[in-house]
Every structure is written in structure tokens, then in C-alpha cells.
Amino acid sequence: IVSAGDSQSFTITAGDDHEIADVLVDGTSVGAVSTYTFQNVSANHSINATFSEVTTVNAVRVESITYTTSGGRLNDRHLTITLLLLDDQNNPVSGASVSAVLTRINGGTNTWNFQGTTGSNGTVSFSVNNHGSGEYETNVTSVVATGYQWDGSTPKNGYTK
């Protein structure tokens, strides 16, 4: 009970894994505030808070892009590109759908589009058979993984044959 003319402050605190969604004062939203003060009280008032569960979005990133070759007389006829995806706790992310573009940036311009899914070790590999001489670079265009959000970046990478 508040005496007429006095002020009364309230602190709104969410429980674990929750956040303040909205606060209604006398039926009108005042937003997701954590405190509210009734000034110069002269009538009955109401204050109601609603809460929502905090959802955590885990990040996924392309940690590395490596190039290996195989086949041919010099063991450099076929090019394999391997991408490693890790979450924000440095754990491998399996089951992620990855799209990437490999570009030969000199020695003739060519591009190859790839799509694949990461395995339990967080890697996905793409291959180009009989690749020509030149400088190559991979650009990741999409990563989709349930429960994760891709950071949108491609690490610096390249290969020269």
C-alpha cells in the first residue's frame, strides 16, 4: 500500500534463461523495462510483466580451406578443396549445407560451383579433375546448419599450380 502523494518503484527481474518481453502499466505497454516508478500516487494502479525464453543462436564459421592434389605424373592433376566448419566453441559442425565457388583467377578464368554437406568431422570436400595451371581461390557463398548462424565470412585462401 502506497500513501497518497508518495512514489513507488518496482524492479522487474526475469528468471534464468528468460528476458523481459513487455511491461504493462495500467494496461498500456511501457516496453521491456526493468524498473518502473509510479509518481505522486493518487489512485490504484496495476503493473504486469511478461517474459520470454532466451534463445541462443550459435555461430558457425569456416575455419579453414585447404587444397590438396593427386593423380598424374607429378601428383598434381586433380585438385581437392576441403572446408572445415567449427562452432563458437571450436567444435566441428556436422550436417551443414555448404555452397562455394572455386575461381581460377589467372591462367584463364574459370569458375566451379560446389554444394555439399559436412560430415561428423565438420569437413566437406570438393574436387576438380584435370585442373589447369593458375591461381585458385575459394569463396564460400552459403552455410546453412540447423541451430546455427553462419558468420558470413570466407577465410583467406589460395592455391597455385
Side-chain angles (χ1 to χ4, degrees), residues 102-108 132-137 158-161:
L102 174 68
T103 303
R104 182 167 61 177
I105 53 180
N106 69 14
S133 296
E135 292 181 34
Y136 292 81
E137 183 177 72
Y159 165 77
T160 302
K161 178 180 179 182

Side-chain angles (χ1 to χ4, degrees), residues 62-67 81-84 138-140 154-155 157:
V62 180
E63 174 69 14
S64 64
I65 299 175
T66 56
Y67 298 85
I81 305 97
T82 301
L83 288 72
L84 171 62
T138 300
N139 182 45
V140 179
T154 299
N157 69 91

Side-chain angles (χ1 to χ4, degrees), residues 16-157:
D16 291 341
D17 298 325
H18 286 79
E19 62 188 1
I20 301 167
D22 195 16
V23 175
L24 300 177
V25 174
D26 296 331
T28 301
S29 174
V30 293
V33 298
S34 60
T35 61
Y36 187 83
T37 301
F38 290 100
Q39 301 283 343
N40 192 23
V41 175
S42 62
N44 290 334
H45 292 282
S46 65
I47 185 166
N48 293 297
T50 56
F51 303 92
S52 60
E53 189 172 351
V54 175
T55 55
T56 303
V57 176
N58 297 312
V60 61
R61 71 183 183 282
V62 180
E63 174 69 14
S64 64
I65 299 175
T66 56
Y67 298 85
T68 56
T69 58
S70 63
R73 187 171 42 96
L74 300 175
N75 204 33
D76 67 350
R77 185 171 188 163
H78 310 299
L79 180 62
T80 300
I81 305 97
T82 301
L83 288 72
L84 171 62
L85 276 64
L86 298 178
D87 66 14
D88 46 5
Q89 302 297 312
N90 291 322
N91 297 309
V93 176
S94 63
S97 175
V98 180
S99 297
V101 177
L102 174 68
T103 303
R104 182 167 61 177
I105 53 180
N106 69 14
T109 302
N110 297 92
T111 60
W112 296 264
N113 294 304
F114 301 105
Q115 292 183 334
T117 303
T118 58
S120 61
N121 63 355
T123 64
V124 60
S125 295
F126 309 108
S127 295
V128 177
N129 292 332
N130 302 315
H131 73 289
S133 296
E135 292 181 34
Y136 292 81
E137 183 177 72
T138 300
N139 182 45
V140 179
T141 57
S142 174
V143 173
V144 177
T146 302
Y148 293 92
Q149 182 172 342
W150 177 41
D151 70 2
S153 65
T154 299
K156 185 171 175 60
N157 69 91

